[in-house]
Amino acid sequence: MSMSIMNPSSFTLLIFSFTLALALAMLSLRSKKPKGQLPPGPQGWPIVGNLFHTIMNRPVHVWIHRSMEDMQTEIACFRFASVHVITVTSSEIAREVLREKDEALADRTQSYSSNLISDGYKEVAFSSYGESWKLMKKMMTTKLMSPTTLNKTLGDRTLEADNIVTYVFNLPRQGSINVRDVVLTYCHAVMMRMMFGQRHFEVAAEDGGLGPKEKEHVDAIYRALDCFFSFNGANYIPFLRGWNIDNKEAEVREAVDILNRCNDPIIHERMELWRTKGGKETEEDWLDILITLKDDQGMPLFTFDEIRALYRDINVATIDNPMNNVEWTIAEMLNNPEILEKATNELDVVVGKNRLVQESDIPQLNYIKACSRESFRLHPTNVFMPPHVARQDTTLAGYFIPKGSQILVSRIGLGRNPNIWDEPNMFKPERHLADHVGNSMDVTLMEPEMRFVIFGSGRRACAGTKIGTSMTIMLLARLLQGFEWTLPNDTSQVELVPADTNLFMAKPLLACAKPRLTPTLYPKIQV
């Protein structure tokens, strides 16, 4: 219920509830005095702490990082009502969070958004650390993301890599194209192939792009993510959840409803096929695997609700990194033509121009991987990693961290930290081609030293690092090999401005693409 349509009695009830919640928070704070020195932080108001700062300073992440710079600290403590939120911009402290204190900080926050997206915490990304979570994580690692399964689905990924090259080839040559639409088309199609074994929910788009239902699905995924990462007051005062005080709850409800309308019919139909009609000759995609897994008693391992929740997990985890990274990388290359030329030359030397680049070529494409790493460093998808929660009292960098504290490792704070990086705001892929003493090395998208964040680390690390790497580099390599990219005639530089709600480009990238291979290498769209 929004404030604009709330009647007087409801408004009075909300004010009373808010006051009561704050009073309870104050009593909680008084009864839980810190047992040691907390990290430095800005002075807050009585009871609400720094919550008013989040209302007055938007986007909140800019205020948080500015406050840390003013305090000259790489670890800070912000109090939002009774919740201590610890922010980290140091690679050393980030390694402490994700390695040394990994188990103590392995829980997740509970919020209106995470509860809805996870269907009551029945999956991996949002659920608390425990036996159920361990079972789900083991299944993701050993079944869906196993080398056997990824090899089995290689054909699907290659098919969509072929499709995206042909899709761009068939776009009108006059004027510019929307690069974001292109990369979203590939990322969503790969996700659909691997999840459901099909490219579209209903009717295929004639041009090979996203259909209306796919566009609605993608939009819902990103709205759900934005709601999850927002600094919503109800995240810190549970009593206020359900009041929709800043419209975020209505947004996430609508987004989850769309995901359900898209995914549920396919899941229901496939479960009926396997569990009442005898199934198929073989398991062909991730949905088949999830439905056919059995427990020790030979019963289905997962219920419909659990499979639905896992699919929402896959939705929100699969397409944001590759989409964001490839768009930013091409934008940076357009502003640095010498980098674009080096990347294209590498493809010509390693692959040539008589065949299309394949996943098997990725280990040799070190310069292209270096460009991708540099984009991940400068332009992560979101400002912070998903929150970690302290399961017990602990310490970080010598400071006391109370049980229940939320720890936010800053992606942007690490990636642009001048204590870690020389010229941190410059796009310099070469910095990733050698180790700290100048020796050349094979480039990967892993970053064990936590100098910046791509896939995370520790117990809560993404299970899909291999597939994420393959999707990102394959898409970037295919677009660079297949086309000569230039700026539109009326543009001299790409405006590298991030959005406020996330760190996507504020405006979709527009560029011109001229085919650079023989026409016979651009196959027909296969739906």
Side-chain angles (χ1 to χ4, degrees):
M1 182 181 295
S2 67
M3 293 288 290
S4 59
I5 61 174
M6 193 176 289
N7 60 47
S9 61
S10 297
F11 182 76
T12 302
L13 178 60
L14 176 59
I15 293 298
F16 172 77
S17 302
F18 186 71
T19 304
L20 177 60
L22 292 181
L24 292 172
M26 177 180 248
L27 290 173
S28 175
L29 282 174
R30 287 179 174 174
S31 64
K32 296 181 180 178
K33 292 182 179 180
K35 301 175 184 177
Q37 183 183 358
L38 295 168
Q43 188 169 355
W45 291 58
I47 305 175
V48 297
N50 302 117
L51 268 182
F52 280 138
H53 293 93
T54 68
I55 298 171
M56 303 302 295
N57 296 276
R58 299 288 179 150
V60 176
H61 69 85
V62 173
W63 169 72
I64 286 176
H65 287 94
R66 186 173 63 244
S67 298
M68 295 181 73
E69 290 176 7
D70 291 344
M71 292 183 290
Q72 297 183 329
T73 182
E74 294 182 322
I75 180 170
C77 178
F78 299 84
R79 183 171 63 82
F80 300 146
S82 62
V83 180
H84 295 95
V85 176
I86 313 299
T87 54
V88 172
T89 60
S90 155
S91 58
E92 181 180 355
I93 304 174
R95 291 195 298 270
E96 189 177 357
V97 171
L98 299 168
R99 290 184 189 170
E100 299 171 36
K101 305 294 174 60
D102 184 21
E103 186 172 6
L105 303 175
D107 261 347
R108 284 287 195 235
T109 58
Q110 294 195 358
S111 67
Y112 190 91
S113 296
S114 62
N115 182 54
L116 269 184
I117 296 169
S118 66
D119 215 341
Y121 307 104
K122 296 182 177 72
E123 40 60 84
V124 177
F126 302 100
S127 60
S128 295
Y129 184 72
E131 292 306 315
S132 177
W133 176 87
K134 290 178 183 178
L135 174 64
M136 289 285 189
K137 182 65 178 286
K138 181 180 180 181
M139 180 279 304
M140 291 285 288
T141 303
T142 62
K143 299 296 183 181
L144 301 191
M145 302 299 174
S146 71
T148 299
T149 300
L150 294 183
N151 288 337
K152 188 176 180 180
T153 54
L154 174 60
D156 288 334
R157 298 194 299 278
T158 303
L159 178 63
E160 290 308 329
D162 291 346
N163 280 342
I164 201 61
V165 170
T166 304
Y167 173 63
V168 177
F169 180 78
N170 290 333
L171 289 173
R173 302 288 165 78
Q174 297 77 25
S176 57
I177 65 173
N178 187 318
V179 176
R180 184 175 301 175
D181 282 349
V182 170
V183 296
L184 276 176
T185 296
Y186 167 83
C187 294
H188 192 271
V190 171
M191 177 181 68
M192 288 288 291
R193 292 275 190 194
M194 297 190 71
M195 289 198 312
F196 296 132
Q198 62 191 59
R199 196 169 195 260
H200 296 276
F201 288 109
E202 295 175 341
V203 180
E206 291 184 5
D207 64 355
L210 296 175
K213 197 161 187 178
E214 285 75 43
K215 290 178 181 178
E216 184 183 33
H217 190 242
V218 167
D219 181 64
I221 291 169
Y222 287 124
R223 280 194 289 152
L225 277 170
D226 286 345
C227 290
F228 171 71
F229 281 105
S230 68
F231 287 88
N232 182 352
N235 291 345
Y236 310 104
I237 306 176
F239 200 86
L240 297 180
R241 291 173 194 168
W243 288 96
N244 193 33
I245 57 176
D246 62 359
N247 205 41
K248 289 295 182 184
E249 293 175 353
E251 284 188 40
V252 76
R253 280 199 303 272
E254 182 181 3
V256 169
D257 283 345
I258 291 171
L259 296 180
N260 288 343
R261 288 202 305 271
C262 292
N263 294 338
D264 287 3
I266 301 175
I267 299 173
H268 277 301
E269 183 180 358
R270 192 75 62 81
M271 290 184 77
E272 182 180 3
L273 174 64
W274 276 105
R275 295 183 180 178
T276 64
K277 296 182 177 180
K280 311 177 185 177
E281 290 185 5
T282 183
E283 299 163 4
E284 298 174 350
D285 50 49
W286 284 345
L287 184 54
D288 289 338
I289 293 173
L290 290 175
I291 293 173
T292 56
L293 284 174
K294 299 290 194 298
D295 62 18
D296 294 340
Q297 283 72 46
M299 300 299 293
L301 186 61
F302 296 121
T303 65
F304 169 81
D305 288 343
E306 289 169 329
I307 293 174
R308 165 201 261 183
L310 281 166
Y311 265 64
R312 290 202 207 119
D313 243 13
I314 295 169
N315 287 157
V316 301
T318 302
I319 67 175
D320 58 341
N321 258 345
M323 183 283 292
N324 183 63
N325 182 261
V326 172
E327 184 180 23
W328 273 113
T329 303
I330 293 177
E332 289 280 8
M333 287 178 167
L334 288 170
N335 282 355
N336 298 274
E338 71 284 358
I339 295 176
L340 177 56
E341 184 179 3
K342 285 182 182 179
T344 305
N345 287 343
E346 180 181 63
L347 281 161
D348 289 345
V349 171
V350 173
V351 181
K353 300 177 74 171
N354 296 319
R355 66 177 179 88
L356 293 174
V357 59
Q358 305 295 323
E359 283 191 18
S360 57
D361 297 310
I362 289 177
Q364 297 175 272
L365 299 176
N366 282 325
Y367 191 75
I368 286 176
K369 286 182 287 184
C371 291
S372 178
R373 277 175 63 90
E374 185 70 340
S375 281
F376 275 119
R377 181 186 72 81
L378 278 172
H379 309 294
T381 305
N382 286 288
V383 178
F384 297 103
M385 295 179 66
H388 287 242
V389 175
R391 305 170 64 219
Q392 61 196 49
D393 290 347
T394 187
T395 59
L396 283 176
Y399 293 106
F400 176 68
I401 307 298
K403 179 182 178 180
S405 298
Q406 298 180 12
I407 293 83
L408 300 178
V409 175
S410 172
R411 297 175 185 266
I412 204 75
L414 292 175
R416 300 196 181 209
N417 189 330
N419 295 324
I420 302 173
W421 302 100
D422 177 50
E423 296 183 290
N425 296 318
M426 296 293 293
F427 186 79
K428 297 170 60 176
E430 286 76 11
R431 70 172 93 233
H432 302 284
L433 294 173
D435 60 22
H436 65 284
V437 292
N439 297 316
S440 62
M441 59 182 186
D442 291 332
V443 180
T444 73
L445 296 194
M446 302 301 293
E447 180 47 46
E449 296 305 307
M450 297 300 296
R451 297 178 301 162
F452 66 103
V453 177
I454 298 180
F455 300 112
S457 183
R459 284 170 172 78
R460 306 298 311 218
C462 174
T465 56
K466 185 172 182 180
I467 185 62
T469 296
S470 297
M471 287 178 64
T472 303
I473 303 304
M474 191 63 168
L475 174 59
L476 178 59
R478 281 291 183 99
L479 293 179
L480 295 180
Q481 183 196 28
F483 305 94
E484 178 184 327
W485 294 90
T486 56
L487 291 168
N489 291 332
D490 58 349
T491 306
S492 59
Q493 286 274 296
V494 179
E495 192 176 5
L496 302 177
V497 178
D500 286 340
T501 53
N502 48 48
L503 295 181
F504 298 164
M505 293 185 70
K507 298 178 181 178
L509 175 63
L510 301 179
C512 301
K514 178 182 176 182
R516 60 186 299 272
L517 302 175
T518 179
T520 57
L521 285 178
Y522 301 90
K524 294 182 179 180
I525 296 288
Q526 301 183 57
V527 298

